[in-house]
Amino acid sequence: MERTYSTVSGQTWDQIAYEIYGDEHHCDILMDANRELLDYFVFPAEITLQVPDADIKRNDTIHSDYPEWRAALDG
C-alpha cells in the first residue's frame, strides 16, 4: 500500500529517503514514484510525495526525463 509524505522546507530527495527508508541511496525509489516533481532539488514546505512500499527494489537506470543534476550525480 502506498502512502504519502509531506515535505518540510529545505529537504532534499536523499534526506527524505533516509527518513523514510533508513538509506539515502533509496532516493531513486521516491524519484521514480514522483516523476512530476523531479525539477525539485530542494523542496518547499508541504509538497506531497507518493511513498512506495520499502520492498520495492532499487532501479539503477537513469531515465531520460531525469533533470541534468540527477544524471550528473549518477554519471
Side-chain angles (χ1 to χ4, degrees):
M1 168 187 264
E2 276 197 3
R3 54 194 164 118
T4 61
Y5 178 88
S6 184
T7 63
V8 175
S9 181
Q11 284 184 309
T12 60
W13 290 102
D14 57 337
Q15 289 172 326
I16 297 167
Y18 184 81
E19 184 175 329
I20 293 171
Y21 299 120
D23 186 343
E24 67 273 11
H25 294 104
H26 292 311
C27 64
D28 59 340
I29 295 171
L30 291 174
M31 293 173 110
D32 283 341
N34 297 279
R35 293 189 164 279
E36 70 282 3
L37 301 172
L38 290 178
D39 288 336
Y40 287 107
F41 182 74
V42 177
F43 284 97
E46 299 184 22
I47 299 293
T48 300
L49 300 177
Q50 298 301 311
V51 178
D53 290 336
D55 63 341
I56 295 175
K57 296 185 189 303
R58 283 186 65 198
N59 180 359
D60 292 327
T61 303
I62 299 173
H63 299 279
S64 62
D65 61 343
Y66 277 179
E68 286 185 33
W69 65 262
R70 172 67 168 139
L73 290 176
D74 287 337

